[in-house]
Amino acid sequence: MSREARVGIFVLLGLIVLTFFTFRVSKWGLIAEKGYRLTVDFDTASGLEPKSDVKMAGVPIGKVEEIQLVGTRARLVLRIHQGIRIPIDSMGSIQTQGLLGEKYVEILPGKDTQRNLPAGGQVANTLSPTNLDEMVRKLSAIGDDVKKFTESLSGTFGTEEGKKALGDILRDVRATTASLRTVVQGNEQRFERILANVDRLSADLSDISAANKEDVRATIANLRAFSDTLKSEAPGLVRKLEEMSERVSGVVGDNRENLKESIKNLKAASARLDNTLDAAGKVMAKIDRGEGTLGKLVNDNAAHVSLTDTLDGINRYVRKTEQLKTFVDYRLEWQQGPSEFKHYVNLRLQPTADKYYTIGVVDDPRGRFGSSTSTVTVNGTPTTITEEKFDDKLKFSALIARRFSGLTVKGGVIESTGGLGLDYELMKNRLTLGADAWDFSRKDLPPHLKLYGNYDIVKNLFVTGGVDDVLATERNLRTLFLGFGIKFADEDLKTILGAVPIKP
């Protein structure tokens, strides 16, 4: 078999494979039309894209085929795999994988397993998705409430009366805790013995009451009799109590000095309490002037501003992440001059509609042209020999591009050397005409100029052709080329990976 025939068979097989996957991921291909349709309505489908997963119990069961606007609500057309049965009372919701992950539709199965949704049916029960902007607004409202609370706290303790009251409380608490600390530290072993005795006493009383129920009843009867006797003997007891009170009065008269000393001790404790309240008043004054951490929190709204700025930053980051798009393309070119194939693999990151970055690898059969000169002696005569060769077949590209209407200007590294280029798009961006120039320092050769045109046959398949190294009229470097390529966006890659069967 000739070389041209092998090339033709290779290209034909590539086109067949590409056509199969193109029709499989396209919404109008007959290969993709498997399973049955269901519809579900939501108040909003923000962040959800066609080809997103449909899951039930965490297992993918289909894809979102289409998103429509019906009235003021979003209607999702779901394509469910054949053989999957969904109960008629199931509930639909929009979920997110992680905090910033992609969104998908979750079907929560119902309990009525005897009746299933028919093809073309609708999931009537829905659960509204959580809105990140609404969460941000609620957090901002919480920040306002915190600010109002701190202002109220400042108004309560910022007055002279509030400062004095707080100072009194702090002094009382300080004196009380100091006394308790002294008592506890000096009597830890005693308290432990008391608690142990109480435990033993309660155990003994339990044993006694259980073993001496009759005795307890007799004791109660004796107490009843004693109360009757006390009732009859009460007048005599009253007279005895009067005599005892007279004796107590005599004792108080004999110990007046001791009582005075006790009163002095109480006055000293009151003075210490006043000092504690004064210190608390000074603390409140510092808070009112905005000194210290608590003062800044009460008088300055920096905490609220910081919280608001943080939430705004999170919101901006989420929006930028949702706007970033990723494209991957592979291009194969057959060059007439060396009759070889040239391969391109590129990754394009597009943060906005008018700007993108490209990183690529090029497998060039020519490599980079170079020459070396050496002098040898033949039969005693010096002879200069010039050797020309190509090396470094694997090359790299890194470009930044900016689009102005239909014209795109790009520059950076092209095939491992500095370069720039222009692209112009026609026919609703299906036809692209371009020119790239690089390798401006080639020895004895003009810069490398390439003229090309790309045409999109379908969404993911395009053909290309043009003239490579146009300015190089010597050494047979100028050549015609033809080829084709495939390109996928990030959503297309997810669809292809989901469509490829994986068998253990």
Side-chain angles (χ1 to χ4, degrees):
M1 184 181 293
S2 65
R3 183 175 186 177
E4 288 77 10
R6 290 197 298 270
V7 171
I9 293 173
F10 173 78
V11 173
L12 180 60
L13 291 176
L15 289 175
I16 293 174
V17 172
L18 291 173
T19 303
F20 172 80
F21 280 106
T22 300
F23 279 89
R24 184 164 183 94
V25 302
S26 63
K27 66 180 182 179
W28 44 267
L30 296 176
I31 300 176
E33 298 290 335
K34 290 185 178 181
Y36 62 96
R37 285 185 173 186
L38 293 178
T39 60
V40 57
D41 294 345
F42 291 99
D43 293 334
T44 177
S46 177
L48 193 69
E49 299 292 340
K51 305 299 182 181
S52 296
D53 287 334
V54 179
K55 298 182 180 181
M56 184 166 66
V59 180
I61 61 171
K63 295 286 183 180
V64 176
E65 187 173 83
E66 190 177 0
I67 301 178
Q68 304 171 351
L69 181 64
V70 179
T72 59
R73 305 190 72 193
R75 171 164 295 178
L76 308 183
V77 179
L78 311 180
R79 174 70 63 176
I80 307 301
H81 297 331
Q82 197 69 34
I84 301 298
R85 296 294 176 259
I86 300 176
I88 196 170
D89 59 342
S90 298
M91 178 179 294
S93 65
I94 297 178
Q95 303 290 341
T96 304
Q97 294 183 356
L99 180 60
L100 302 177
E102 62 179 4
K103 293 189 175 182
Y104 63 95
V105 177
E106 179 72 22
I107 301 296
L108 304 176
K111 298 182 179 179
D112 190 0
T113 57
Q114 301 298 324
R115 296 184 300 166
N116 298 318
L117 288 171
Q122 183 175 17
V123 180
N125 303 321
T126 59
L127 184 63
S128 299
T130 302
N131 193 314
L132 184 59
D133 292 334
E134 183 178 359
M135 293 176 60
V136 172
R137 288 194 295 271
K138 289 182 179 180
L139 289 176
S140 179
I142 293 173
D144 293 336
D145 293 339
V146 171
K147 181 179 178 182
K148 291 178 181 179
F149 172 76
T150 56
E151 290 175 353
S152 175
L153 184 63
S154 177
T156 301
F157 293 103
T159 61
E160 293 297 328
E161 183 179 358
K163 295 177 182 178
K164 184 177 179 181
L166 182 60
D168 294 340
I169 293 171
L170 292 176
R171 280 192 290 269
D172 291 340
V173 171
R174 184 178 299 173
T176 302
T177 54
S179 300
L180 289 175
R181 187 182 299 111
T182 302
V183 172
V184 172
Q185 290 178 352
N187 298 276
E188 290 180 355
Q189 296 180 354
R190 184 175 297 175
F191 281 137
E192 292 177 357
R193 289 196 299 270
I194 291 172
L195 292 175
N197 293 334
V198 169
D199 291 337
R200 286 195 296 270
L201 178 60
S202 62
D204 294 340
L205 288 175
S206 178
D207 295 339
I208 291 172
S209 62
N212 299 278
K213 292 183 179 180
E214 297 298 330
D215 295 337
V216 171
R217 292 192 182 96
T219 301
I220 294 173
N222 292 335
L223 288 174
R224 186 179 295 112
F226 173 75
S227 65
D228 294 337
T229 303
L230 183 61
K231 182 179 179 180
S232 61
E233 299 293 336
L237 293 174
V238 170
R239 288 192 300 269
K240 292 180 180 180
L241 289 174
E242 289 177 352
E243 294 175 359
M244 185 180 295
S245 65
E246 291 176 356
R247 293 176 183 175
V248 170
S249 298
V251 172
V252 171
D254 295 338
N255 294 277
R256 289 179 179 178
E257 296 299 329
N258 294 333
L259 292 175
K260 290 179 180 180
E261 186 177 356
S262 298
I263 293 173
K264 289 180 181 179
N265 293 334
L266 289 175
K267 289 181 178 180
S270 177
R272 289 196 297 271
L273 184 60
D274 290 337
N275 294 332
T276 304
L277 293 176
D278 291 338
K282 294 178 181 178
V283 172
M284 292 303 301
K286 290 183 178 180
I287 293 175
D288 189 40
R289 291 193 299 269
E291 299 178 4
T293 303
L294 184 59
K296 292 179 180 178
L297 180 63
V298 173
N299 294 277
D300 191 4
N301 62 347
H304 172 259
V305 174
S306 178
L307 179 61
T308 303
D309 293 342
T310 301
L311 294 176
D312 291 341
I314 293 174
N315 198 13
R316 289 194 298 270
Y317 175 77
V318 172
R319 287 197 297 268
K320 289 182 179 179
T321 302
E322 291 179 350
Q323 292 175 357
L324 180 64
K325 295 184 180 299
T326 305
F327 299 88
V328 178
D329 69 80
Y330 166 77
R331 186 167 73 254
L332 174 68
E333 295 178 359
W334 176 76
Q335 296 183 341
Q336 180 187 15
S339 187
E340 295 287 348
F341 291 99
K342 189 174 182 179
H343 305 270
Y344 299 80
V345 178
N346 295 315
L347 170 65
R348 188 174 76 183
L349 302 176
Q350 186 168 344
T352 60
D354 60 347
K355 182 172 67 175
Y356 65 85
Y357 306 90
T358 299
I359 302 174
V361 179
V362 182
D363 184 9
D364 190 354
R366 293 185 176 184
R368 180 177 295 176
F369 177 80
S371 62
S372 60
T373 302
S374 60
T375 301
V376 297
T377 302
V378 179
N379 298 326
T381 302
T383 303
T384 300
I385 299 175
T386 301
E387 181 180 0
E388 297 179 348
K389 62 179 181 178
F390 293 94
D391 55 9
D392 190 15
K393 290 187 177 182
L394 194 62
K395 302 178 181 179
F396 300 92
S397 299
L399 297 171
I400 179 172
R402 188 67 181 267
R403 181 173 180 176
F404 303 93
S405 185
L407 179 64
T408 301
V409 180
K410 54 188 178 181
V413 177
I414 300 179
E415 298 190 11
S416 300
T417 64
L420 51 87
L422 296 173
D423 289 340
Y424 190 76
E425 296 179 345
L426 302 169
M427 300 175 61
K428 297 182 179 181
N429 301 334
R430 296 189 65 180
L431 174 62
T432 301
L433 301 178
D436 292 340
W438 68 95
D439 203 358
F440 296 95
S441 60
R442 290 197 297 181
K443 184 177 180 181
D444 300 330
L445 289 174
H448 195 139
L449 177 62
K450 180 178 181 180
L451 302 179
Y452 59 89
N454 298 332
Y455 180 74
D456 294 343
I457 300 177
V458 291
K459 178 181 178 182
N460 304 106
L461 177 64
F462 66 93
V463 294
T464 183
V467 183
D468 194 7
D469 213 346
V470 179
L471 303 178
T473 59
E474 300 178 357
R475 299 174 181 168
N476 297 323
L477 296 179
R478 182 170 56 190
T479 178
L480 297 175
F481 68 89
L482 295 173
F484 67 92
I486 55 175
K487 57 183 178 180
F488 297 99
D490 48 2
E491 295 297 331
D492 298 330
L493 290 174
K494 295 176 185 176
T495 303
I496 291 178
L497 294 177
V500 174
I502 299 176
K503 295 183 180 180

